[in-house]
Amino acid sequence: MLNFSEFSGLLLFMFIFTAGFWLLIFLLTFVVPYWIGGTIWENRKLKREAQKAAEDK
């Protein structure tokens, strides 16, 4: 049987482990695709602006 300090340590470990797991899932499903999509969007916009500037000359 676990005493209180062992039980609280186990609860703390489980909380930190699950928080890290869900943070990893959040980063891989939302933040990274948003970051990659924004980078692609900005690069396309810059290329479009460069083409317009080259055509105007």
Side-chain angles (χ1 to χ4, degrees):
M1 200 71 184
L2 296 175
N3 61 20
F4 181 72
S5 65
E6 291 172 340
F7 180 69
S8 62
L10 179 66
L11 282 179
L12 182 64
F13 170 76
M14 290 303 291
F15 173 75
I16 292 171
F17 180 77
T18 55
F21 174 75
W22 288 113
L23 179 64
L24 181 66
I25 295 296
F26 171 73
L27 288 174
L28 290 176
T29 56
F30 293 107
V31 175
V32 173
Y34 180 79
W35 178 41
I36 292 170
T39 302
I40 292 170
W41 183 272
E42 284 294 319
N43 285 339
R44 289 177 60 193
K45 189 167 76 171
L46 289 173
K47 285 180 184 177
R48 222 177 298 132
E49 290 174 0
Q51 277 183 342
K52 285 184 182 178
E55 289 174 359
D56 290 342
K57 286 186 178 180

